[in-house]
Amino acid sequence: MISTDSDPTNPGEDGRTHHLDVYERRWMIASVALLVVFAASVAVAGFGLGFQVPGHESRVDPNTVADSPPWNNPGLRDLGNGEYEVYVIGRQYLFEPNEIRVPVGATVTFYVTSVDVQHGFKLQDTNINMQIVPGHISKLTRTFEKAGEFPYICNEYCGLGHASMAGSLIVEAQGG
Amino acid sequence: MLTQPRTYQLDTSQKRFISYHLVIAVIALTVGSIFGPLQSFNWGGLDLYQFLEPIGLGDYYKGLTLHGVLNALVWTTFFITGFLTLTTIVGLGRPLKHPRLNWAGFITMAVGLVMAGIPILAGWASVLYTFYPPLEAHWGFYLGLTLVVVGSWIEGYGFYLTYYQWRKENPDTRTPFITFGGLITMVMWQLATIGVAVEILTMLLPFSLGLLDGTDPQLGRTFFWFTGHPLVYFWLLPAYISWYGLLPREAGGKLFSDSAARLAFWLFLLLSIPVGFHHQFVDPGIPNSWKLIHATLTYGVAFPSLLTLFTVVASLEYAGRKRGGTGLFGWIRALPWHKPSVSAQLLAGILFMFGGIGGITNASYNVNLVVHNTAWIPGHFHLTVATAATLSYMGISYWLVPYLTGKPLWKPKLAVAQTWFWFVGMLIFSNAMHVLGLLGAPRRTDLNSAPYVPEEWSGHLLRVSIGGAILLIGVILYVLIVYKTARGKDHLPEGEEIEVPIAESITDPQLTPMWLDRWRPWLVGSVALIILAYGPQLAQQISNAQFTSPGFTP
Ligand code: HEM
Ligand SMILES: [Cu+2]
Ligand SMILES: [Cu+2]
């Protein structure tokens, strides 16, 4: 990959006159190939297959966001056809609501914001994991195929009471 | 082949100047490291903070702030500036052009450290070493950190002026490798720290002084991570300087490829900075297309690390075979594992391979959803900053402290044991942390008082404590050995001087093409890439900034 301006009358100790060794050159090519494959894979998984990270949603004023709909009444909204939205507010040191119940098969879109400092929102055993930044809304969607309890915990340090900040999503068996 | 000139010898005042850096670095590591084991015991269910309550250190998060700041910022920055002073002077074979300027830089750093330390100890700055707004610390904390950074810049100017003089006198000579690596490290650092400097000076300092009522937390994060990722290369590159430029000599060999080593350093300058969004994959305020661009560039910066793997291993293999090692792996055994400095750096390198694999995982865009802010992340960076960098610095100090003090290393065999304590402790600790992260355990959390810890985690939490206890022995031994060496009564026998172990290259460095020793194209390229990768999105965030978030003290 690199041109050489080496001096053949002045070989290195191992007889090399090029400043790059042949194995070194092959290693470089293999490394680049590997990294290109990685980059392509995540791009396809993210933008092609929809395994997405939370994107740019919308801005709010953290001082007033909790005064008007939908944030003045955080919690679950049933949109019909098994689709749900849930609005969660993070504040030092609790989530509102701290319990959410949905039926098996529900597709839930989580909207989360903070009214004070940064928090985290991690729904255990799932890939719902979002940074909660005051002034922004974080959003991710997931379908719940199995019944069970999924704790959601704050995973960004938010002050001295941070360790107690958690809630629980309960996925209920059909008809239960 | 050039005949190796006798290495330039430092005089007493130069040695003392470098030693002062190390003294502060080691004190910071000592104090900072007390909290690491405390945290790990807390996770395992043994909460010792109650006993520290009487001396005002009973709070987990005050301790965690001290741990992060003292270890990741102070131990590293002071060690690195001291070490780079050495690589500049010894590499170029001349004294600093303006020693007073470097002294001014050092004093600025020390003043900053005191200024930041007081509010942390008083409990007015329990905001952790990332100080995400709108958590608000006392202004002294922000100003102190700024002074530490500015002081390191000033020391850097001293290096540049010294180099400039040398270059004028030696226009066609390749810059000696250790100096070259040191200068790139410093330039990269100065470009990188612009982010956090802007964050502190335009947002956090006025905010904490009450001049601004609110702040924009998302913008603050973006500025922070502009600096935050290259920060990890600031920690690593000095270790790389040693792995490429010193370790081969210590191991009895030579640097395998001067060109590849230089190319790697330039690529680190080029690619360390425009990748910060990989720490913000799950942030709400950044479009996903920009995140993907930074993810791709992050794979780019993995390239020079892979190159480093090849060149360093090849250099070591050369050394091992020269020492009589044969076969596919025989050369590994033939390396001088009995030398503490070598053992430290070899073990650091081995753990760093796992660190590198973990790093690529973290950088993998949507895969980050699995690990973001979980215990996996500290599991990862205790392999990088707390091992690849820290254990290498420890290894460096095993020849550097004798070199600076003229005294033999105290109990070299114990020093070898120390490196193994660190290795084994870290292997257990970090493996457990990685597993816990995959199980969902959060980082930065007083887990002993968290209500949601399932039974499933407990075995791994215990392993975190066990690893922490072994690491504690590792720290105590290190500090003891350095202290006993420096305070020892014996001096090195007459005529037996320690030399800085500068490795020769197998190929004559003059064979390395000149474009690998030219600053302008690489500097222009770095700035251009930063502007492309950050410019549009940063402009967007700045123009949409809303300084509406009021401050909260933790
Ligand atoms: C004595 C051995 C050490 C042990 C047992 C240890 C243990 C720990 C533990 C358990 C945590 C996680 C705490 C939490 O997330 O709640 C942590 C965090 C951290 N450690 Fe260490 N550590 C050690 C040495 C070091 C060293 C040498 C460095 C750097 C040079 C370092 C840098 C950090 C940083 C930057 C954090 C993250 C702080 C934060 O999240 O704000 N540690 N350490
Ligand atoms: Cu929290
Ligand atoms: Cu990074």
Side-chain angles (χ1 to χ4, degrees):
Chain A
M1 66 170 282
I2 286 167
S3 71
T4 52
D5 56 356
S6 58
D7 171 6
T9 61
N10 184 12
E13 191 161 298
D14 56 351
R16 251 192 285 163
T17 55
H18 283 41
H19 64 100
L20 281 183
D21 173 76
V22 44
Y23 286 106
E24 190 152 52
R25 213 174 282 235
R26 285 185 197 156
W27 173 269
M28 287 183 180
I29 294 166
S31 300
V32 170
L34 179 74
L35 294 167
V36 168
V37 169
F38 284 171
S41 312
V42 298
V44 169
F47 291 80
L49 305 177
F51 293 104
Q52 264 301 8
V53 295
H56 189 41
E57 220 9 65
S58 57
R59 294 215 64 162
V60 288
D61 181 340
N63 301 293
T64 56
V65 61
D67 298 340
S68 48
W71 298 99
N72 58 355
N73 182 21
L76 195 67
R77 310 279 192 278
D78 186 347
L79 303 183
N81 296 327
E83 306 250 336
Y84 295 83
E85 284 176 350
V86 54
Y87 292 85
V88 180
I89 288 183
R91 63 169 84 234
Q92 288 174 324
Y93 298 104
L94 47 91
F95 287 114
E96 296 172 69
N98 66 6
E99 194 182 288
I100 304 164
R101 287 174 182 271
V102 294
V104 164
T107 297
V108 185
T109 301
F110 296 86
Y111 293 90
V112 191
T113 195
S114 162
V115 294
D116 44 41
V117 298
Q118 296 187 36
H119 297 281
F121 183 87
K122 167 107 170 70
L123 190 64
Q124 299 294 51
D125 305 322
T126 74
N127 289 340
I128 305 279
N129 188 354
M130 304 188 282
Q131 189 77 21
I132 311 306
V133 181
H136 286 267
I137 292 166
S138 302
K139 173 190 169 192
L140 273 181
T141 303
R142 186 180 196 274
T143 303
F144 294 88
E145 307 287 6
K146 277 202 208 116
E149 187 174 345
F150 300 82
Y152 44 91
I153 65 175
C154 175
N155 66 359
E156 181 57 82
Y157 171 66
C158 54
L160 304 185
H162 158 64
S164 60
M165 186 165 166
S168 186
L169 172 84
I170 295 155
V171 181
E172 296 172 319
Q174 216 70 2
Chain B
M1 236 15 333
L2 296 170
T3 48
Q4 180 87 359
R6 217 178 111 73
T7 5
Y8 174 83
Q9 293 294 313
L10 302 190
D11 65 25
T12 316
S13 73
Q14 292 168 323
K15 286 186 174 171
R16 203 173 285 151
F17 181 58
I18 295 172
S19 306
Y20 291 149
H21 287 80
L22 297 198
V23 169
I24 296 188
V26 173
I27 293 174
L29 180 74
T30 311
V31 179
S33 290
I34 293 169
F35 297 96
L38 288 174
Q39 286 146 205
S40 71
F41 299 156
N42 167 294
W43 283 30
L46 174 65
D47 195 84
L48 296 177
Y49 289 89
Q50 43 186 318
F51 302 109
L52 295 174
E53 197 65 71
I55 53 166
L57 292 174
D59 175 48
Y60 185 90
Y61 302 102
K62 186 198 272 189
L64 189 54
T65 305
L66 281 166
H67 182 70
V69 170
L70 289 177
N71 281 345
L73 304 179
V74 179
W75 147 251
T76 51
T77 306
F78 278 82
F79 187 93
I80 293 166
T81 44
F83 181 60
L84 298 191
T85 308
L86 183 94
T87 60
T88 306
I89 305 180
V90 174
L92 298 178
R94 60 167 61 220
L96 288 171
K97 180 101 195 310
H98 302 288
R100 289 221 190 113
L101 183 66
N102 286 65
W103 263 105
F106 174 70
I107 291 170
T108 310
M109 284 169 65
V111 169
L113 172 58
V114 173
M115 189 178 260
I118 293 170
I120 303 180
L121 288 171
W124 302 330
S126 297
V127 292
L128 309 189
Y129 82 116
T130 50
F131 47 86
Y132 290 146
L135 281 178
E136 190 183 336
H138 187 275
W139 57 265
F141 173 77
Y142 302 116
L143 191 58
L145 289 186
T146 308
L147 290 180
V148 172
V149 170
V150 169
S152 70
W153 287 355
I154 297 174
E155 291 217 43
Y157 303 145
F159 304 155
Y160 303 159
L161 292 169
T162 310
Y163 171 71
Y164 182 69
Q165 187 74 22
W166 176 88
R167 181 43 99 197
K168 274 205 307 203
E169 292 165 24
N170 302 275
D172 299 318
T173 312
R174 297 294 173 277
T175 313
F177 178 76
I178 57 170
T179 309
F180 167 91
L183 290 170
I184 291 188
T185 307
M186 185 47 86
V187 170
M188 192 279 290
W189 172 241
Q190 297 200 352
L191 277 175
T193 37
I194 293 172
V196 81
V198 171
E199 183 195 10
I200 291 185
L201 296 178
T202 67
M203 297 174 65
L204 302 183
L205 205 50
F207 179 56
S208 60
L209 287 167
L211 303 173
L212 283 176
D213 295 334
T215 192
D216 186 317
Q218 181 67 74
L219 183 60
R221 285 177 69 80
T222 299
F223 281 132
F224 183 84
W225 287 112
F226 182 99
T227 302
H229 183 78
L231 176 62
V232 314
Y233 287 104
F234 180 60
W235 300 329
L236 282 173
L237 291 186
Y240 285 11
I241 293 173
S242 178
W243 297 356
Y244 279 118
L246 305 171
L247 179 62
R249 168 80 170 270
E250 294 176 78
K254 292 185 176 187
L255 170 59
F256 183 74
S257 170
D258 185 76
S259 310
R262 288 179 202 252
L263 178 63
F265 268 82
W266 285 123
L267 291 175
F268 281 120
L269 175 65
L270 194 67
L271 291 164
S272 288
I273 301 173
V275 297
F277 290 164
H278 74 216
H279 291 261
Q280 300 180 273
F281 284 144
V282 306
D283 276 22
I286 299 172
N288 289 353
S289 48
W290 283 101
K291 295 175 182 171
L292 188 70
I293 290 171
H294 281 220
T296 309
L297 285 164
T298 308
Y299 291 123
V301 74
F303 174 70
S305 278
L306 288 168
L307 195 56
T308 300
L309 175 64
F310 182 93
T311 309
V312 170
V313 171
S315 307
L316 291 170
E317 181 182 349
Y318 178 86
R321 297 208 185 281
K322 258 184 111 170
R323 299 174 65 89
T326 52
L328 203 50
F329 296 111
W331 60 270
I332 299 177
R333 289 196 55 179
L335 291 170
W337 288 90
H338 62 280
K339 289 191 190 171
S341 175
V342 173
S343 158
Q345 297 181 68
L346 294 177
L347 295 175
I350 292 171
L351 284 186
F352 188 53
M353 290 194 235
F354 298 106
I357 294 169
I360 290 182
T361 312
N362 302 340
S364 294
Y365 192 64
N366 35 25
V367 182
N368 186 262
L369 289 166
V370 182
V371 297
H372 178 76
N373 271 355
T374 68
W376 168 288
I377 302 296
H380 161 69
F381 63 64
H382 282 81
L383 294 177
T384 57
V385 63
T387 300
T390 294
L391 187 52
S392 293
Y393 301 173
M394 289 171 166
I396 291 168
S397 32
Y398 287 147
W399 60 260
L400 183 56
V401 175
Y403 173 80
L404 294 172
T405 57
K407 297 176 183 173
L409 186 68
W410 186 72
K411 294 201 194 293
K413 282 205 181 111
L414 191 63
V416 172
Q418 186 275 337
T419 66
W420 282 96
F421 272 103
W422 197 272
F423 178 78
V424 172
M426 197 53 88
L427 207 55
I428 298 171
F429 172 84
S430 95
N431 175 268
M433 295 286 281
H434 278 88
V435 174
L436 279 166
L438 295 180
L439 295 173
R443 67 182 285 204
R444 320 188 118 172
T445 303
D446 172 6
L447 275 185
N448 190 47
S449 61
Y452 46 72
V453 178
E455 191 46 42
E456 193 190 7
W457 297 358
S458 51
H460 304 296
L461 291 170
L462 186 65
R463 286 197 299 135
V464 168
S465 304
I466 295 170
I470 301 173
L471 283 165
L472 177 62
I473 300 174
V475 181
I476 293 173
L477 287 180
Y478 171 69
V479 175
L480 188 72
I481 291 165
V482 168
Y483 178 81
K484 286 286 198 179
T485 303
R487 307 256 79 197
K489 296 221 165 45
D490 306 346
H491 282 261
L492 286 168
E494 199 65 40
E496 193 182 300
E497 267 174 280
I498 293 179
E499 293 227 349
V500 177
I502 299 176
E504 281 178 67
S505 166
I506 292 179
T507 49
D508 183 342
Q510 291 299 123
L511 283 181
T512 300
M514 198 60 196
W515 59 266
L516 286 173
D517 201 15
R518 281 263 177 269
W519 283 88
R520 185 151 319 140
W522 297 100
L523 273 178
V524 170
S526 306
V527 173
L529 202 53
I530 292 171
I531 292 174
L532 284 174
Y534 262 110
Q537 179 47 211
L538 198 56
Q540 183 93 25
Q541 285 191 34
I542 291 171
S543 62
N544 293 342
Q546 295 174 10
F547 288 76
T548 46
S549 267
F552 291 84
T553 43

